[in-house]
Structures are given as C-alpha cells and as structure tokens.
Amino acid sequence: MVLKPVNGLLVNSSNNIIPIVSGQSTRIGHTGGVFNTGGLIFQQPDLSGARITSMMLRLRFETQTLLNGTGRLEVGGFVFNSVNDYRVSTEFTRTGMTGSAQYINIDVVREAELFTHFPSNIAYSIGFYPSNTSNGFLHCNYSLCELRVGYQTFEPRTPDTLQPNGGVNRHPNSEIQLSWRFNRNSSAPRDEQQRSVLQYRVNSGNWQQLNLPNINNSHMFAPGSFASGNSVTWRVQTVSNLGTSEFSEIASFVLASTPPLAPLLVYPVNVAVEAASGALLEWRYNSQYDLRASRFDVRYRISGGNWVNRITNGVTSLLTESITGQSTVEWQVRATGQLGDLGPWSDVAAFWVIGTPQTPVIVAVSSINRPVVTFSAVNAMSWEMMFYNANGDVWSETGDVAFDGSFTYKTEILFPDGNYSVKMRIRNEYGLYSGWAALAFSVSGKFVPDIKLNIVDNNRIGIKLINRIMYDLKTEFYKLEVFRSNAGTDEYIQIEQIMLDKHYKQFDRFIECVYTDFTASPGIKYTYFTRLIENEGNGYSESDKADALVDFNETIIFIKDRPEKLIALTMLAPGEEPKAAEVSRDKVLTKLIGRKRPVTEIGSCESRVLFLSYLCNMLDYEMLTEFALSDGILCLCDRRFGSAFGIISGKVRSVAAEPGYVIVNFVFVETETN
C-alpha cells in the first residue's frame, strides 16, 4: 500500500460580495448547478482502479459580516456536477458592523470505503448557511486552499490457463486457436482489461510479438502458419487500467499429424440381437484433436466367415444386411480424422444374432425296448420329442426337457417290438423353436422270459401273487415289478419291486416268485399285473391281468416282513369303539417305467392315528407288547379301516378282565413305507 499526497491546483478568483438570504444556501462561485471560473477547481491525476484511503480538504479564509448574527459555514464536494456528494460544516458567530477578519480552518476527511471510483476532475465549493433570519452581506476572502488524497495502488496480474500447452499435437494444415484467461485483480476496485500482447517463437527462434487490440483473450493462426515437425512456444500479457502485467508462464505445442484414436464400440457388444432387418452397429469417435471424423471404415464377419468391408462418411452407425438364424458376428471400426490422418482399428467386438434355431439332427435310435435317441443341436436350451407307432398314434412324448449337455435320451417307457418314428425340435434361450427333425426306427428288444401270474385269495391276511417265470434266468439281476389298480380302472400304481437275485425258487422248467399284498383293503376288488425287466431296463415281459378280492372280519396285526407271526383280534372291549384321527397331505408317487401309459399316481395320502381297544388272551397281549417294542413296520388289516402300515405308539396298556384275558388299549400310527 502506497500513500501519495496530491496537492490541488487553485484557480484564482476575485472577492465576492454575496447576499445572505434567510433560509437559503449561498455558495460562492456556483450558480445554477454549473461551476464558473470563480469556483474552487481541483485538478487531480487519474486514480481509477486505486482505492482511496483518505482525503483532506484544508481551507483558510476570511469572513466579514455586514450584519450582526450567527451563521454556518459548509464545504461541499461535487463530482462531475452531480448532486451534493458530501458536506461538512462549522458554526460561527459574528457581531459588529465592521468586525475584523475571521480565519476559519476546516479539515474534511473522507472514509476510504466510501470511494469506489475517484475521477480525474473534482469540483469543490464553499457555501454559507445563515442560522438566523437576518438579511445581510458576507464578505469572503480566502488565503489558503489545499486538498490531500491518500490512496492504494494495485498491480495487474499475469494471464493464466494457456491452451494449447503440451499434451496433444496441432496439425499444421488446420487452424490453431490459442486461448488464455484474463486474471482479474479482484482486490482492486476496478480492473478492466484493455488489450493483450502475444509473443511466440518457432523452435528456438526469435520472439515474434502481436498486439491484440481486442479483449477476447484468444488468437487464431490460419492453416499453414507453421510447418510440420516444429514446436511453437508462446506467452501472453494483458494491459488493463492498472497497467501492463508481466508475461505469463510459457506454453508450447508440437506441429505434427493428428490421427484419431481407435473408435469406442458402443452397440451391440456381448449381447444378443434380432437382426432379420439388419443389425445396427454404433460407435463413438475418439480423438484428442478434432470433434468429428471425415470417414469410418467398418468391417464385420458372420460366424467366422470372410470380412465384409463398409465405409461411412463420418456417420457413427451402420446397418448391416439381414442376418437370419443363430450366428456370432464380429466387428470393428477405424476412423480417419478431419484432416485426413488414419487411426488404428478398434478391438474386435462380438454379438449374437437370435432367430429361429437350426433344426436338430436325429443321428440314430437304438432298437432296444427302451430306445436311446442320439441327436445333435446348436444353441439348445431345451428340447422335446414325440414318438409314434406304426398307425401314426402318439405312443410317447417328453414335453419340454431342459438341455443338460447330453445329446442322448433314453425313453422312460418300454416299447414293444415293432416299427416307430420319432420327431424332435429344440428351443433356444429366447423361447424360439426350431423346425421338427424326424427319423423312423424299429424296435427288436432283447429276449426276456415269459411270466405267468396266479392269484390266491387269503381271506385273513391279503392277496398272494404267484409269479412263474417260464425260462431259466441267464442273469441274477432281473427285476420284478408288481402293479395294482382298482378293478374297472386303468390307474395302476407300483406297489412292489423285487430283485430276483434272492427272492425266487427255482424249479425244473420255471422260476417262482411269490409276493403277498398285505395292503389290500377288505371288500375292494383289485386288478394286478407283474412285469419282468432285465437288469439294464432295456427289455421286459408282462403277465396277463388278474382280479382278486380279500375279505376278513377280524382285526389282524403282524410285522410286515414276518407275516407268519400275526395276532387276530376278534373281540372288542366292552363299551369301547375304535376312534381314528386323520390328517391329509399331498403325495406324489414315484414315476415308474411302464408301457403306453405311465403308471404314476398323484393323490392324497391319509396319515391316520387309530385308538384301539380289544379283549385278548395273555399270549396275544405279550405279542402286542413285543410288536410295540419292535423296530419293524407293522401291518394292520381291519374291515373298518382297511389296511395300514405303521407302528404302535407308546406302550400297550392292559386292564384285568375275566380269568385269562385282559383288555388292551394301544395307539396305532400310520407311517410311510416303500
């Protein structure tokens, strides 16, 4: 901060006799708002942009009133003939007609913060304001007038943010725009840019200077101003009302070709698209030097085929030709810059075209009774097959099966020997189906022995099925399956599966396997058949169907695997009736290998809790207690409840009755069993 005293220059004027009018202001040397030569005029240097820190106006003058009275002397400052900007006053008293001269000194101090602009021309005047109503005349003669101003000056700041500066090249055949920022001195009351000075040199040559009269803070060099391979160094300074700044830091750029970077591939990249009307390829121009390209080279290939080359005139998209079927498309792009410099190819991007998948190929079908279909397919998420017999009727169908990576399918049902055909289609991940593939085949299965079924009703226990296999077994791993349905219906369920390596008796010309169905409910007629399947499940034979009915009046309970050890309970306890609590739940039985119709059943299984009370002898009581402690599954047969598998829950309780008998109470809980 620099304080500089500045003396005002006084313009002489003659003495003035000015009448004093009551209630009015009288100013010396000022009439009608215009300063005349008789006023006090102070010529100041230009302090624009400086901050005023102090101002002092010192006046010394003589007054001689022609009237007795009091008055008030006011000094006012006027800026460019504007309204009164500031005034300060002092009171005085004068008596006598011819009083001696009175000298008055007034110091006017102006606060710095009141000033935002200090002009070069300031006019001040002196005025008298009477404090009474007396009229009279005032004689004024000044002998001293001095104005002192203190102010703070500010230096201009150097420009900054010069561009271009390193980093990227500039093409010699293009316009080269230089730009910078006027760094305003925010501390100064006013810092107004007036012009700029630009200096530049090529390589290490002499500085060249350009005086730029505008305040745009930029300059454009025309194409061809510089030669390729050179470097340009430049700097700039600005001139404002505060003065001329120092030169900025040095900036530089290199003159060379400006090829663009590889374009950025936007879409489609690693996605699947429908391209029956063509695939729209989109990318972004990527350059450090210019905003647009003069040309793009595009190439793509379908499923590894030959590259297809296309050109666009600066447009950042391209529509390919129609692409049908499922395929993989690879593509890439390169750009030519606005001034003709060729950039590199982008990385190769890929996308997948969706559409109707290719029809699968049925390679072969085996001739066994459970045929195995071998096929090939591309982009399959699932598949389905339909099998037809010689009459064209649907023999079997798979529905939609998720593809698990295996290209073989073994049928789930057995096919009798004969002629058939199969057709197949696939579905891709977008839910689109292929066309149907078809193939005819014949079934000529392995030889499996015939089986004869005889049924013996056991009215007390169940239904005994005697299976006679009319041929010597060549393997120990044949499997016998037992199926049952209510008579008159065709809804069979598998009730047993027996491995014949240990459950048969061998005779001279046949092998016999006996199975007793303890689960048959009394009073219901059933239809049975059995099936013999060779160990790999590829060949089979079936018995004829046979009907049977079991009926009994007594309650029978025995261990399932030891039916010979049973208890027959015939007498209810006096005054007791069995009570049953039933809880239903859904149950899906295992899907089984069958012929034309799968032997599956979806229904409701009742889990029952039976509260039973009987009169029995001591031997039966002891056996019931043994059953309660056994780990085996018990079978309970009763006309009222049918047949049920389960366990005795808790203990068998007894109460003494007539000699040799007890009344037993126990709880039978039905459980699952194979």
Side-chain angles (χ1 to χ4, degrees), residues 267-268 271-280 319-320 322-325 351-356 430 432:
Y267 183 84
V271 296
V273 300
E274 198 283 321
S277 300
L280 183 63
L319 184 65
T320 70
S322 174
I323 304 176
T324 58
F351 63 92
W352 300 272
V353 175
I354 63 174
T356 303
Y430 308 102
L432 303 177

Side-chain angles (χ1 to χ4, degrees), residues 260-265 281-287 290-299 308-318 331-338 341-346:
L261 302 174
L264 303 176
L265 305 187
L281 310 180
E282 298 177 87
W283 60 91
R284 286 203 303 266
Y285 184 51
N286 187 13
S287 174
D290 47 18
L291 299 178
R292 60 185 62 86
S294 60
R295 146 180 171 158
F296 290 104
D297 296 303
V298 186
R299 64 182 184 182
V308 177
N309 294 286
R310 302 280 292 275
I311 296 173
T312 74
N313 294 324
V315 180
T316 56
S317 63
L318 173 72
W331 64 292
Q332 60 182 163
V333 184
R334 67 178 178 182
T336 300
Q338 199 166 2
D341 298 316
L342 180 64
W345 284 103
S346 69

